[in-house]
Amino acid sequence: LEGLCFEAAQYAMLLPLLRALADRYPIAGIAGHEHVAPSRKRDPGGGFDWARVRAALAWPAIRFPQDPIG
């Protein structure tokens, strides 16, 4: 998964989904499987652009993994 890169279309679908979820539910933050179960999961991995998602959503940094893996 380290070499896996995500396409613009994937981010284009993810961003409205995250906004809709945050509008509907009291979400404190988001994380990847790699942050929740690092000994078992490796996704989304180093190819996921957390900075891109943070910038696009304009959410406070506290809502994202503080030390992204990968």
Side-chain angles (χ1 to χ4, degrees):
L1 291 174
E2 291 305 316
L4 181 66
C5 291
F6 294 83
E7 300 290 329
Q10 291 174 290
Y11 291 104
M13 295 301 294
L14 176 64
L15 298 170
L17 172 63
L18 291 173
R19 287 183 188 108
L21 288 170
D23 286 345
R24 177 78 169 97
Y25 300 101
I27 296 172
I30 63 171
H33 284 138
E34 63 194 324
H35 302 102
V36 178
S39 63
R40 296 184 303 113
K41 304 283 186 171
R42 297 184 333 219
D43 58 308
F48 187 77
D49 192 345
W50 286 99
R52 178 180 184 164
V53 174
R54 282 192 307 259
L57 293 173
W59 289 355
I62 194 73
R63 294 182 84 172
F64 296 90
Q66 298 305 301
D67 186 19
I69 297 169

